[in-house]
Amino acid sequence: MMPTEGSPRNQGVASDFVGRKPVYLKPRGAVEPVPWEEIAVDAPEVKPETPLDEAQFVALDIESTGNSPFLVLEIGAERFRLDGPLSFFDTLVDCQAPINPYAHRRHHIDRSMLIGAPEFRDARRAFLRFAQGAVLVEHSHDAFDTWLVGRGLESPLEHPIIDTSALARLVLELPKGQTPGLARLVEVLELDVTPAHAALDDARATAMVFRALIVRAREMLGWKTVGDVLAALPRPVVDRTAPSRRALAAGRAAGARGQKALPRSGAPAATPRATSPAPTARRGRSSRRRRSGSSGSPGGSPA
């Protein structure tokens, strides 16, 4: 499903864009940016008690620069229900940053392709309109893609988030520490799709994997509602603070505690009470390795 020049494949409800400059998106393969236009989709907000057959989901995939702080180069998404796709979202993002050569070899995005693409804030604003009221689905064991989208927002994304790698481990009974790649799951589930390190293609593959896994989970585990899935797959929380900053913050906190413990009389400080050490948080990725080998009203171009 490669975009054609001038094709309005990125559409969505744009009521909050009234009075603002028009937003243009640039799908991969498009010669010129295309306007992001309005299309109405009936989608009540998903709640834990929402039956799975009535819920709407948005499978998301991000391609990044591959260099810390990992800026977004492309956003691809499919809005869908369990019975099939509803709409698509696809745009390159001009992040004005160098692209890691390793990342370029995987996703084939270069600076020339980004000419005319929207800035991240505009692309994200359109995507959040597209994804409003849906459950976000990503193939990323550490919630990397949704973190990239939400980074810098005054409040984090409030969407429920489901990771298909964790879902696969549960449904396919894989070893606990194993993170199956998207391409492997497509093969195991015998799906007619090929992950291609392009955001929209991988988002579509993620959506197909999710639907196939949910079919099995409903038979095996009796899941009926969105809440059943969320209860079985807790949203991952990852500390992505740089190690040097974490150490600095820890040092400052320890210093502050020590300062408070010092008695004003100058006598030796009392031994602080023993406390349980905080659980070690997983570090953020030092390199972005793609996984196929490894919030307004919704909308989008009709499937």
Side-chain angles (χ1 to χ4, degrees):
M1 294 184 60
M2 295 300 292
T4 57
E5 181 178 356
S7 172
R9 66 179 306 165
N10 292 284
Q11 300 177 345
V13 176
S15 58
D16 68 339
F17 286 74
V18 175
R20 301 185 183 185
K21 65 178 181 180
V23 172
Y24 288 83
L25 304 182
K26 189 178 183 184
R28 183 187 288 234
V31 176
E32 299 291 338
V34 296
W36 190 73
E37 300 175 354
E38 179 175 347
I39 182 171
V41 175
D42 180 18
E45 185 174 352
V46 172
K47 299 179 180 179
E49 61 270 22
T50 302
L52 286 168
D53 287 327
E54 298 178 10
Q56 292 196 15
F57 305 86
V58 169
L60 167 69
D61 189 83
I62 297 291
E63 300 296 341
S64 80
T65 56
N67 295 316
S68 180
F70 299 104
L71 301 182
V72 174
L73 287 176
E74 185 178 31
I75 303 174
E78 176 185 316
R79 191 172 184 112
F80 65 95
R81 295 168 55 121
L82 293 185
D83 58 1
L86 295 172
S87 52
F88 302 99
F89 184 96
D90 181 22
T91 189
L92 295 162
V93 179
D94 189 359
C95 64
Q96 300 290 329
I99 301 173
N100 182 285
Y102 173 78
H104 168 70
R105 287 195 297 271
R106 295 179 72 82
H107 55 51
H108 304 293
I109 299 174
D110 58 45
R111 293 294 317 168
S112 65
M113 296 168 61
L114 305 181
I115 297 173
E119 295 181 356
F120 175 62
R121 62 181 180 181
D122 288 333
R124 176 171 63 186
R125 189 156 50 100
F127 169 75
L128 293 180
R129 294 297 293 174
F130 174 84
Q132 182 181 350
V135 177
L136 293 182
V137 178
E138 63 178 323
H139 190 78
S140 174
H141 73 281
D142 57 0
F144 190 77
D145 289 1
T146 49
W147 176 75
L148 281 177
V149 170
R151 184 173 59 187
L153 290 174
E154 293 182 1
S155 59
L157 297 178
E158 297 180 354
H159 304 71
I161 298 174
I162 297 173
D163 164 35
T164 48
S165 65
L167 178 60
R169 280 197 301 271
L170 178 63
V171 174
L172 302 179
E173 300 179 341
L174 300 175
K176 185 176 180 181
Q178 189 174 117
T179 301
L182 186 58
R184 179 188 171 191
L185 293 182
V186 165
E187 181 179 1
V188 169
L189 296 168
E190 299 180 340
L191 302 175
D192 185 18
V193 64
T194 303
H197 300 296
L200 180 57
D201 290 340
D202 285 2
R204 294 184 62 219
T206 299
M208 292 181 70
V209 164
F210 176 81
R211 289 194 290 266
L213 290 172
I214 289 295
V215 168
R216 297 193 182 195
R218 295 173 81 173
E219 295 176 354
M220 293 172 51
L221 305 170
W223 288 350
K224 297 180 180 180
T225 67
V226 171
D228 292 336
V229 185
L230 299 178
L233 303 170
R235 182 171 178 170
V237 178
V238 182
D239 182 3
R240 290 191 172 87
T241 308
S244 58
R245 293 187 178 182
R246 283 205 299 271
L248 180 60
R252 287 176 175 172
R257 289 195 298 270
Q259 186 175 17
K260 290 180 181 179
L262 288 174
R264 295 183 182 180
S265 64
T271 302
R273 292 182 300 170
T275 57
S276 300
T280 303
R282 290 184 297 166
R283 294 168 59 178
R285 298 184 184 183
S286 59
S287 63
R288 180 56 170 148
R289 303 180 70 175
R290 294 305 307 158
R291 298 167 306 282
S292 60
S294 42
S295 283
S297 299
S301 55

